[in-house]
Amino acid sequence: MSNYLLLPLAALPFPQIDPVIVQLGPLAIHWYGLGYVVGLLFAWWYAKRMVSDDRLWGPSGSPISAVDIDDFLLWAAAGVVLGGRLGYILFYDFAKYAANPAGIFAVWEGGMSFHGGLAGVTIAMIIFARRRGFSAWSLFDVIAASAPVGFGLVRVTNFINSELWGRPTDVPWAFVFPNGGPEPRHPSQLYEAALEGLVLFVVLRILTHSAFKLRQPGFVAGAMIAGYGLSRIFVEFFRQPDAHIGYLAGGWLTMGMILSTPMVLLGIWAMTSARSR
């Protein structure tokens, strides 16, 4: 672990949590990787419960079986990891990986793009649904409702890793991050964990289990996409942009905002057109 800076009285002490949970010879288990694994396993378990509950789907029941969810788990993992890594390389740090291609495979060091992961798992869902003969929209809904817990866990591990920290601030809950300079900063990772993880999960839970929106294919997926996009755009006002990208216009626009805006528009379209499906 890095040596910790002397903290000003206005900032909270950064928790001294080693990013590596356990080291077994050359094999290191990181909190970051564990966040992805636990998020995927929770999504698998939660999705199976939803497709097995006919009450959520109406008289015709779920078009997706629990076995389908079992089989899709590996597809989802591949889509998230490959898409997330490729998205980060293309949108956030292409020059670095072009100069050092071997670094592409060092996923334990961080460097995953949510937008790339979303694209990767979406492609996986479309192909899988077509092969199984059911609507991709219903699979979108099930996976969308299951995903926010994983979002939140990964953001918490970003905090543990002291990465993706926020902009300098004087709020009383600011932290001085070990590699973030001497000034207190917003814990923007925790903001994202709360909004993209907890709040979004609760909203989608209400839509699936109280409003029965799984009966309108695409509505829940649209709500997740729009909700994530709005949460990300909001948090970008507190999050420090990547140093090699910075602000793109006017001293406030960031790459995260640009990539999230189409998500909001797509999500609104998916919700408003769901009834016609």
Side-chain angles (χ1 to χ4, degrees):
M1 296 291 291
S2 302
N3 292 327
Y4 289 82
L5 301 172
L6 294 176
L7 306 180
L9 295 178
L12 297 173
F14 188 81
Q16 299 189 35
I17 303 174
D18 195 325
V20 177
I21 303 172
V22 61
Q23 183 86 35
L24 302 173
L27 177 64
I29 300 176
H30 294 246
W31 288 107
Y32 186 79
L34 183 64
Y36 273 95
V37 171
V38 174
L40 282 169
L41 291 178
F42 174 85
W44 168 59
W45 170 81
Y46 190 67
K48 289 184 67 172
R49 289 180 60 90
M50 279 192 290
V51 301
S52 301
D53 188 349
D54 289 340
R55 181 181 65 90
L56 304 179
W57 299 87
S60 60
S62 170
I64 307 169
S65 70
V67 174
D68 290 327
I69 298 299
D70 287 340
D71 294 342
F72 181 67
L73 181 62
L74 289 178
W75 288 65
V80 168
V81 174
L82 295 177
R85 190 62 169 169
L86 183 60
Y88 182 83
I89 292 168
L90 292 178
F91 295 128
Y92 289 95
D93 213 351
F94 181 78
K96 170 185 173 181
Y97 293 102
N100 180 29
I104 293 173
F105 304 101
V107 294
W108 55 87
E109 296 178 356
M112 296 284 284
S113 163
F114 169 82
H115 302 90
L118 177 63
V121 78
T122 299
I123 294 171
M125 284 189 283
I126 292 171
I127 297 172
F128 185 84
R130 287 181 176 178
R131 293 184 63 170
R132 293 299 171 99
F134 53 75
S135 170
W137 285 107
S138 292
L139 185 58
F140 291 165
D141 288 339
V142 171
I143 300 304
S146 308
V149 169
F151 300 164
L153 289 174
V154 171
R155 292 308 181 195
V156 171
T157 65
N158 290 145
F159 177 78
I160 292 173
N161 287 349
S162 183
E163 60 189 4
L164 308 182
W165 20 258
R167 305 181 191 185
T169 182
D170 59 357
V171 297
W173 56 86
F175 288 85
V176 171
F177 290 91
N179 55 345
E183 61 272 357
R185 294 180 177 274
H186 283 286
S188 55
Q189 316 95 322
L190 302 184
Y191 300 168
E192 290 191 72
L195 290 175
E196 301 164 9
L198 179 60
V199 173
L200 190 55
F201 177 79
V202 171
V203 169
L204 297 178
R205 172 80 181 189
I206 293 171
L207 292 178
T208 56
H209 287 70
S210 298
F212 301 111
K213 289 298 185 179
L214 289 173
R215 302 175 187 180
Q216 296 179 22
F219 191 97
V220 175
M224 189 281 282
I225 293 170
Y228 178 92
L230 289 171
S231 299
R232 179 65 181 270
I233 291 170
F234 173 76
V235 174
E236 285 289 315
F237 285 100
F238 304 95
R239 177 174 165 175
Q240 184 74 25
D242 294 86
H244 57 282
I245 298 179
Y247 297 102
L248 300 179
W252 62 272
L253 186 65
T254 67
M255 179 62 76
M257 292 177 182
I258 290 175
L259 296 177
S260 296
T261 299
M263 293 180 62
V264 177
L265 300 176
L266 179 61
I268 293 173
W269 170 80
M271 288 188 287
T272 55
S273 61
R275 188 177 296 275
S276 65
R277 300 191 195 99

